[in-house]
Amino acid sequence: MSIFALVAVNISCSGDDDAPEKPETGGTVCYGKSYKGELLSGDLASGDESKYFAMETVIDVKLDSVQDSQDSFMDIVLNDVRFAEKMPVALDITLKDIPCVMSFDDNGYTVISFSAADVAPYINSEPQPVPAYMFATIHGTIQDNELQLSAKMANDLDAYVAGMEFVFNGREIIE
């Protein structure tokens, strides 16, 4: 469990062929916000509350806008999270370089959609991602000051994390 805690801190985008390549230069951070809400983790598909864990947490989002390009990327940081009631250590997990797209809804409000596959997490301050805790999918939206995020770990991992699901719904923290 302590190894999982170490891995769950940071996540980065893999060299997936379908994902746009992040340009090396020209990026500027144009969006940085925090969202507070409930994170569910475990076997969510079962609908059995005894098979998943819920906790309140804060997720930070930083979006890189690349000049002269329509490709954008975001970093998502899950702060001080636990994935089971008896998990001895809380982790910081950063999902790096997640491809995203900005659009507008029918009312003219900005919608940021993001999606990635095969994302290896960085845990706490580890300098390298940890593929042993690969996320098969990560996707979600930011709209109307709300962040919705869903993720699922790969099925071919150790039994205690294989296929684990995560869902977060939170509202922007206004300071």
Side-chain angles (χ1 to χ4, degrees):
M1 188 60 99
S2 63
I3 291 173
F4 177 72
L6 175 62
V7 173
V9 175
N10 291 302
I11 297 178
S12 75
C13 190
S14 74
D16 186 78
D17 292 338
D18 295 332
E21 233 180 85
K22 184 174 181 180
E24 296 296 323
T25 61
T28 58
V29 175
C30 67
Y31 181 96
K33 296 192 179 182
S34 297
Y35 299 85
K36 184 175 184 177
E38 184 175 59
L39 175 68
L40 304 176
S41 59
D43 181 4
L44 303 177
S46 72
D48 181 351
E49 289 184 21
S50 69
K51 294 186 177 182
Y52 62 85
F53 177 71
M55 72 168 292
E56 190 171 291
T57 193
V58 173
I59 292 182
D60 299 323
V61 175
K62 293 180 183 167
L63 177 79
D64 292 333
S65 177
V66 181
Q67 297 173 350
D68 301 320
S69 174
Q70 293 185 2
D71 297 331
S72 293
F73 298 84
M74 65 186 346
D75 289 349
I76 302 169
V77 181
L78 289 75
N79 296 288
D80 204 27
V81 294
R82 296 177 190 272
F83 302 117
E85 187 173 358
K86 294 180 181 179
M87 188 171 159
V89 178
L91 304 172
D92 292 327
I93 299 172
T94 302
L95 310 169
K96 293 185 179 182
D97 300 333
I98 305 299
C100 60
V101 175
M102 297 174 104
S103 62
F104 298 95
D105 67 13
D106 293 338
N107 296 318
Y109 293 105
T110 301
V111 177
I112 300 172
S113 302
F114 56 93
S115 182
D118 300 326
V119 177
Y122 290 83
I123 306 302
N124 295 326
S125 60
E126 290 294 317
Q128 298 296 319
V130 183
Y133 296 95
M134 184 72 67
F135 279 77
T137 60
I138 296 170
H139 63 276
T141 59
I142 299 172
Q143 182 176 5
D144 295 332
N145 299 323
E146 292 185 17
L147 168 64
Q148 296 182 340
L149 176 141
S150 296
K152 184 175 180 181
M153 296 189 81
N155 288 325
D156 60 350
L157 303 176
D158 287 339
Y160 69 97
V161 293
M164 183 180 281
E165 301 166 284
F166 301 89
V167 172
F168 175 82
N169 291 300
R171 294 203 48 82
E172 180 182 344
I173 298 172
I174 308 291
E175 295 181 15

